Amino acid sequence: MNIPVLYQDESIIVVEKPIDLPVHKNDFMPNDAPYLTKLVGDKTGKWMYNVHRLDSKTSGVIVLAFSSEAASVLTKQFEQKEVQKTYYAIVQGNPGAGTFDSKVLVKKKSKFKKAAVTHYKTIRTVQTKLVSKDKTDIELSLVEINPETGRWHQLRQHFAKNQFDIVGDTHHGDFTLNKIILADTELRRLFLHAGKLEFKHPETGEQVAFESAIPEEFDKLLKFYS
């Protein structure tokens, strides 16, 4: 599996994670199943330290550390909300611009919720003839998202709660619409991508930023219904 490297030095490596690839191993995976830290570790010949998370179904830019010291510095930045994160998603409807700040569940099958903050703005909207449940002529929008917090499925939960389901979200989203879009386009993925990551380098303290281009499937989907 190809893992594009955006940046690498003695302390960190920044890569583009493909969809459907877990960041680290979990108890539900077969022993031989691939995961990001293993693949990058095999590629570099170094032990990898995970710093933050991306859902397995989410693609995009992620930073890993080569030492526990560097990982600790970076993890603290994420915890103290010093890292600027930008995501892109295609959602049902047109949310405009604003902030979602309702609490979200902390994990699957849990009733416990924590505070979460998600800023967003709509970049592009297309009008379609799609029909799902009681909705007709459904709009699809490309949205830029800047979360302040990093809860479990935070973006997926926030947009679903507000009736702007992320396309391809099989956990929280509009299952009927997902099936229709998949049948129409044959594009099978969660339309959520980590596009930008900005933080202070753990060794130099320099502010660094890395970008991962919006996947071509996003444009294909919008063009299909334009």
Side-chain angles (χ1 to χ4, degrees):
M1 185 181 295
N2 181 40
I3 310 289
V5 176
L6 298 175
Y7 175 81
Q8 180 179 350
D9 61 22
E10 293 300 311
S11 301
I12 62 171
I13 183 169
V14 183
V15 301
E16 293 183 283
K17 189 186 85 64
I19 56 170
D20 298 326
L21 180 68
V23 171
H24 48 73
K25 188 175 177 59
N26 62 55
D27 294 337
F28 305 103
M29 293 163 52
N31 286 333
D32 59 348
Y35 52 97
L36 184 70
T37 50
K38 182 181 188 305
L39 293 176
V40 177
D42 290 346
K43 185 172 186 174
T44 60
K46 296 184 178 182
W47 185 264
M48 304 307 307
Y49 292 83
N50 187 34
V51 174
H52 63 121
R53 294 176 298 175
L54 284 182
D55 296 337
S56 66
K57 294 181 182 296
T58 303
S59 59
V61 60
I62 184 168
V63 58
L64 301 167
F66 288 130
S67 70
S68 59
E69 292 80 10
S72 178
V73 173
L74 288 169
T75 299
K76 192 172 182 180
Q77 289 186 49
F78 277 94
E79 291 174 346
Q80 295 182 346
K81 303 178 184 178
E82 296 172 350
V83 178
Q84 283 75 56
K85 299 169 285 186
T86 302
Y87 290 77
Y88 297 95
I90 294 181
V91 306
Q92 178 184 156
N94 181 353
T99 299
F100 297 137
D101 58 6
S102 60
K103 290 183 177 181
V104 298
L105 296 171
V106 296
K107 62 180 178 179
K108 188 176 181 179
K109 295 183 179 179
S110 169
K111 293 183 179 179
F112 184 64
K113 295 182 178 182
K114 279 191 174 182
V117 179
T118 303
H119 307 293
Y120 61 88
K121 64 179 179 181
T122 301
I123 299 172
R124 176 186 174 193
T125 299
V126 298
Q127 184 74 54
T128 80
K129 297 297 183 183
L130 287 166
V131 177
S132 176
K133 301 172 185 174
D134 58 343
K135 300 174 185 175
T136 59
D137 298 336
I138 294 171
E139 293 177 307
L140 295 178
S141 297
L142 175 65
V143 180
E144 181 179 298
I145 308 168
N146 299 103
E148 282 189 25
T149 47
R151 308 301 184 197
W152 174 77
H153 288 189
Q154 175 180 320
L155 308 185
R156 296 158 72 175
Q157 288 193 70
H158 265 162
F159 279 87
K161 273 185 174 185
N162 291 276
Q163 311 301 313
F164 299 113
D165 308 78
I166 296 177
V167 175
D169 184 354
T170 57
H171 194 104
H172 310 276
D174 186 329
F175 309 125
T176 302
L177 183 63
N178 288 340
K179 286 181 179 179
I180 294 169
I181 290 176
L182 176 59
D184 283 348
T185 67
E186 298 184 350
L187 296 171
R188 185 189 298 275
R189 66 160 293 158
L190 171 68
F191 281 83
L192 178 61
H193 180 73
K196 300 177 185 176
L197 196 62
E198 186 173 347
F199 54 90
K200 289 181 181 178
H201 191 284
E203 293 290 340
T204 67
E206 178 188 359
Q207 194 77 10
V208 291
F210 304 97
E211 296 190 26
S212 172
I214 299 174
E216 61 181 13
E217 296 101 318
F218 283 54
D219 192 50
K220 284 181 180 178
L221 176 60
L222 296 177
K223 281 184 176 177
F224 184 90
Y225 291 109
S226 296

